[in-house]
Amino acid sequence: MRNKKLVDYSKYGYIFAIPFMLTFLIFTLYPVLYTFVIGFTDLKGAGNTEWHFLPSVGKNLFQNFKEVLTSQTFHKAFRNTWIIWIMNFIPQIGFALLFTAWFTDRRSKVKGQGLFKILFYMPNIITAATIAILFTKLFGYPKGAVNDLLNSLAALFGKTRDNYDYQNNEWPVKIVVAFIQFFQWYGHTMVNLIAGVIGISPEIFEAAEIDGANRVQTFFKITIPCIRQIMLFVLVTSLIGGLNMFDIPQLYIGTRANNAALTTNMYIKNQAFAGSYMYNRSAAASVILFIIIVALSSILFYILRDKDEAKLKKLRKQELRAARKGL
Amino acid sequence: MSDNTIKMSSIKKNETWLKVVIYIVSIFFSLMTLFPFVMMIANSFKSTYEIQQSTLTLWSAHPFQNLAKNWHIINSKDFHPFTGFLNSFIVATCSTILNVYFSALTAYAITAYEWKLRDAFNGMIIAIMMIPSTVTTIGFYQMVYKLGLVNKLSMLIIPSIAAPMTVFFMRQYLQASLSMEIVQSARIDGAGEFRIFNQIVVPLMKPAIATQAIFAYVGSWNNLFMPLILLTDKDKKTLPVMVSLLNGDIYKKEYGSVYLGLLITVLPLIVVYAFLSRYIVEGVALGGVKS
């Protein structure tokens, strides 16, 4: 800054950052550390706040972590979370890419795409809790809109069908939960990807067109490599969100259907705020989840950074080669 | 020449086919999106008997009578839409104001001043974004419980002062749009740093503040996890917590009123979306590209 020597303004940087810092220390950092500590204690029981470290009550320090890691229910919750996330993410990114390709295509300008975008994005702002319960009713048995719809479709073809209970078997429950996640998020992903494509310089597309590349070639060889960053951003945020999945499975089915859609976050909540109020075990589980998320995001960020550096190196080499040729 | 025209016409044919496919799929997805909401609205106007006949019919014999009856049923049990609405309104409004104001302030601190710990602070904000809310839950609950602040809406509001995502976005915006010359000339005119922020920088940041405010508001309005844990008093429940009651046994046979309850909770969101959808969709796009 030019006036730096006249007046030192740097102290305002600290002053203006104080509210954020204080709030973060009190409401995030302290609770996180507290959660870590509780994971090593005997804290349980509704309304209890007194705790002792496990060794002082004659137990292994890692008892809670051991219990969580060997618990069948936790294993199931962990598996479910991944299965549901994958079943939602693959079609989500697939359809988002498809619509992105269609809506950004320069040759066939799709009319009404503004309206489609707005409609596809809408479920994302609606309360997840509401959407989950709405789907509980729509997939209801014996009476529900989906059963009614399929019955009338069957009647169109002169057939009859029996009502199906979607909420009683493991796979239908998982599939519907994954579908609701998909329903809420594909529009969001699509809008992100479209923004990425619009950001690509039009000259690249023009050049491809002149070179005679068809639509499919242009999309796979130019569009996708150019929006790789945004796709990774979508992947990382979706993964973190997916591993924290709670509202939809909790309210769509809860622990019914033999824990068919129990997620790790539901497990954490149920351990601490239901049954015997095992705050310690719940804390241990959330620390485990935290470690997994940090590890996964670090790996993804590492891959992302590495590739960029590789790309830069490649570019530099090309430039060097070009320079040499020019000489 | 003729060869060329055949080629052209076949390309045109393909073009038409592609367009037909695009429209069919897009319209199918639009219907899929609208279907649950249409069902929700239609069934709010129906009696339990009518819903048992068919969920799909869009009209009822006595729509307004049924609506009144469903409304009565819903209010006679644990679901109190107005209480939930008011609580959600207080929490979402207050936390949005705190969120955007202090995020703008923090972003300004990072962008406009050169201080020793600035880069460390900036890096920390990006690291914080990765902390999943779950890992704060148990510790936060214990802290709040010890202080006797369970069932206080302020415990859902004050933490929004530190919103790393919003800071991150606003910093991006400021870096692109803040010119230090304006700040300098205000200094020469004798304005204090705090006044410069409030009277020059905040108006300058209006577009970013508006976008972030919408997302903060929607996020806070829809939040279920924390309120579900903290709010046990029935007068303090926010709408999403209230909604979770609709899944309980007390409403098992009251199909119509469950749909009506759901409709009430999303009505404000649908109205807001109807007016702001363009800005919201643009805002999402902006956030994604910048991040």
Side-chain angles (χ1 to χ4, degrees):
Chain A
M1 242 158 283
R2 267 168 275 160
N3 285 358
K4 208 176 167 187
K5 270 167 201 157
L6 300 174
V7 191
D8 184 18
Y9 289 106
S10 69
K11 71 170 185 208
Y12 288 99
Y14 291 99
I15 294 172
F16 287 178
I18 285 174
F20 182 98
M21 254 346 264
L22 270 183
T23 313
F24 168 71
L25 290 177
I26 299 170
F27 292 102
T28 306
L29 191 63
Y30 178 72
V32 168
L33 296 177
Y34 203 3
T35 307
F36 270 77
V37 171
I38 290 170
F40 296 99
T41 67
D42 64 348
L43 180 63
K44 59 183 169 188
N48 190 13
T49 51
E50 254 176 68
W51 49 264
H52 316 271
F53 280 112
L54 284 171
S56 69
V57 289
K59 278 185 185 154
N60 187 322
L61 181 63
F62 293 98
Q63 181 76 22
N64 296 321
F65 290 87
K66 259 186 202 157
E67 275 172 13
V68 170
L69 287 172
T70 55
S71 148
Q72 291 294 325
T73 322
F74 182 75
H75 288 175
K76 183 160 194 180
F78 190 66
R79 245 193 340 263
N80 283 345
T81 311
W82 277 100
I83 292 171
I84 293 170
W85 178 73
I86 291 169
M87 283 199 302
N88 122 71
F89 188 72
I90 292 172
Q92 181 187 320
I93 194 88
F95 278 106
L97 276 172
L98 185 69
F99 284 118
T100 304
W102 285 346
F103 290 164
T104 57
D105 193 78
R106 290 152 41 82
R107 281 167 263 193
S108 60
K109 285 191 177 108
V110 180
K111 272 182 201 141
Q113 55 166 289
L115 185 67
F116 287 135
K117 277 184 214 163
I118 286 171
L119 270 177
F120 294 175
Y121 183 74
M122 187 183 73
N124 197 258
I125 66 144
I126 305 291
T127 322
T130 301
I131 289 190
I133 296 177
L134 185 54
F135 273 87
T136 314
K137 300 298 161 199
L138 296 181
F139 280 94
Y141 174 82
K143 270 319 224 189
V146 176
N147 266 323
D148 285 352
L149 191 68
L150 292 176
N151 286 347
S152 31
L153 276 180
L156 271 183
F157 295 100
K159 285 177 184 152
T160 52
R161 82 179 263 286
D162 294 323
N163 286 327
Y164 183 73
D165 189 353
Y166 295 93
Q167 288 155 358
N168 210 9
N169 296 303
E170 292 221 7
W171 279 101
V173 167
K174 286 191 179 77
I175 291 170
V176 172
V177 171
F179 173 75
I180 304 173
Q181 292 279 348
F182 165 80
F183 176 80
Q184 268 212 297
W185 287 96
Y186 78 96
H188 184 269
T189 304
M190 178 196 77
V191 170
N192 272 325
L193 296 181
I194 288 179
V197 175
I198 290 171
I200 303 171
S201 143
E203 283 152 30
I204 303 177
F205 289 114
E206 270 161 33
E209 221 168 293
I210 290 164
D211 288 348
N214 65 30
R215 279 201 180 83
V216 180
Q217 285 170 328
T218 315
F219 188 71
F220 283 101
K221 299 263 164 74
I222 293 174
T223 314
I224 289 194
C226 283
I227 57 169
R228 216 199 58 216
Q229 290 274 357
I230 290 182
M231 284 176 69
L232 264 155
F233 168 75
V234 167
L235 177 68
V236 173
T237 46
S238 169
L239 182 65
I240 294 176
L243 292 178
N244 278 309
M245 204 187 305
F246 177 78
D247 298 13
I248 287 170
Q250 171 77 23
L251 290 180
Y252 176 70
I253 196 85
T255 52
R256 280 175 290 139
N258 189 24
N259 285 337
L262 182 82
T263 62
T264 38
N265 241 5
M266 286 164 71
Y267 175 86
I268 288 167
K269 200 243 164 201
N270 289 344
Q271 289 293 316
F273 302 99
S276 45
Y277 293 83
M278 308 284 279
Y279 298 119
N280 51 356
R281 207 189 279 173
S282 170
S286 52
V287 169
I288 293 169
L289 184 66
F290 173 66
I291 293 170
I292 292 169
I293 287 179
V294 169
L296 280 174
S297 348
S298 313
I299 293 171
L300 284 172
F301 278 122
Y302 180 74
I303 296 171
L304 174 76
R305 196 198 59 178
D306 215 18
K307 274 192 182 158
D308 268 2
E309 274 180 5
K311 225 184 188 176
L312 271 176
K313 268 183 196 164
K314 217 177 171 184
L315 269 175
R316 239 174 264 147
K317 264 187 194 167
Q318 276 172 352
E319 270 171 23
L320 273 176
R321 216 176 291 154
R324 248 177 251 148
K325 266 183 193 166
L327 280 173
Chain B
M1 193 67 197
S2 67
D3 206 35
N4 235 348
T5 28
I6 291 170
K7 213 176 165 190
M8 285 296 277
S9 76
S10 89
I11 285 175
K12 257 192 188 156
K13 221 180 200 175
N14 277 338
E15 206 94 313
T16 327
W17 271 111
L18 179 70
K19 276 210 163 172
V20 170
V21 172
I22 292 177
Y23 282 116
I24 289 176
V25 176
S26 300
I27 289 168
F28 176 79
F29 268 73
S30 306
L31 291 177
M32 183 185 86
T33 306
L34 288 173
F35 177 71
F37 300 108
V38 171
M39 286 291 102
M40 176 174 75
I41 295 167
N43 285 313
S44 306
F45 291 88
K46 290 199 266 185
S47 67
T48 303
Y49 176 75
E50 280 172 319
I51 295 172
Q52 274 173 338
Q53 294 306 303
S54 170
T55 329
L56 297 177
T57 49
L58 294 179
W59 197 242
S60 152
H62 314 281
F64 296 104
Q65 247 167 301
N66 290 332
L67 186 73
K69 203 177 160 207
N70 288 337
W71 175 250
H72 179 72
I73 291 170
I74 220 169
N75 275 298
S76 67
K77 298 186 179 173
D78 283 347
F79 187 87
H80 301 294
F82 286 124
T83 317
F85 197 90
L86 188 67
N87 289 332
S88 278
F89 180 76
I90 294 170
V91 171
T93 309
C94 297
S95 58
T96 301
I97 293 170
L98 293 183
N99 178 318
V100 291
Y101 182 78
F102 284 103
S103 296
L105 187 68
T106 315
Y108 183 64
I110 301 172
T111 322
Y113 301 105
E114 286 174 23
W115 35 298
K116 233 187 208 167
L117 294 173
R118 180 171 75 164
D119 292 339
F121 183 67
N122 196 22
M124 193 193 80
I125 284 174
I126 292 168
I128 301 172
M129 290 198 289
M130 277 210 289
I131 300 179
S133 60
T134 322
V135 78
T136 60
T137 310
I138 304 294
F140 186 74
Y141 177 78
Q142 282 290 325
M143 178 180 88
V144 169
Y145 190 88
K146 264 190 182 171
L147 297 171
L149 295 172
V150 179
N151 280 318
K152 291 273 186 293
L153 295 181
S154 56
M155 285 301 104
L156 294 169
I157 295 170
I158 298 169
S160 35
I161 291 174
M165 281 287 213
T166 322
V167 175
F168 184 76
F169 178 84
M170 287 188 172
R171 189 189 61 113
Q172 303 270 24
Y173 184 83
L174 265 184
Q175 277 177 341
S177 63
L178 178 74
S179 87
M180 283 312 284
E181 271 93 59
I182 301 178
V183 177
Q184 296 287 17
S185 62
R187 277 177 188 157
I188 291 164
D189 291 344
E193 294 302 299
F194 195 58
R195 217 180 120 199
I196 293 175
F197 173 73
N198 281 327
Q199 298 191 344
I200 295 171
V201 180
V202 168
L204 202 85
M205 292 181 74
K206 255 185 196 158
I209 290 177
T211 330
Q212 291 304 302
I214 293 171
F215 290 119
Y217 205 94
V218 170
S220 172
W221 185 273
N222 290 343
N223 189 13
L224 173 71
F225 193 67
M226 246 326 159
L228 193 63
I229 288 165
L230 284 187
L231 308 173
T232 49
D233 188 345
K234 70 176 200 282
D235 293 332
K236 297 286 178 184
K237 286 181 172 158
T238 56
L239 263 186
V241 184
M242 209 69 99
V243 166
S244 65
L245 296 173
L246 291 174
N247 233 0
D249 284 337
I250 45 169
Y251 292 106
K252 201 148 203 175
K253 289 272 176 275
E254 314 292 354
Y255 301 109
S257 28
V258 171
Y259 284 111
L260 179 62
L262 295 172
L263 177 63
I264 293 165
T265 63
V266 296
L267 212 53
L269 288 169
I270 291 179
V271 171
V272 168
Y273 192 65
F275 286 105
L276 298 178
S277 55
R278 262 193 50 213
Y279 303 96
I280 293 176
V281 170
E282 274 168 19
V284 179
L286 227 61
V289 175
K290 292 264 169 103
S291 305

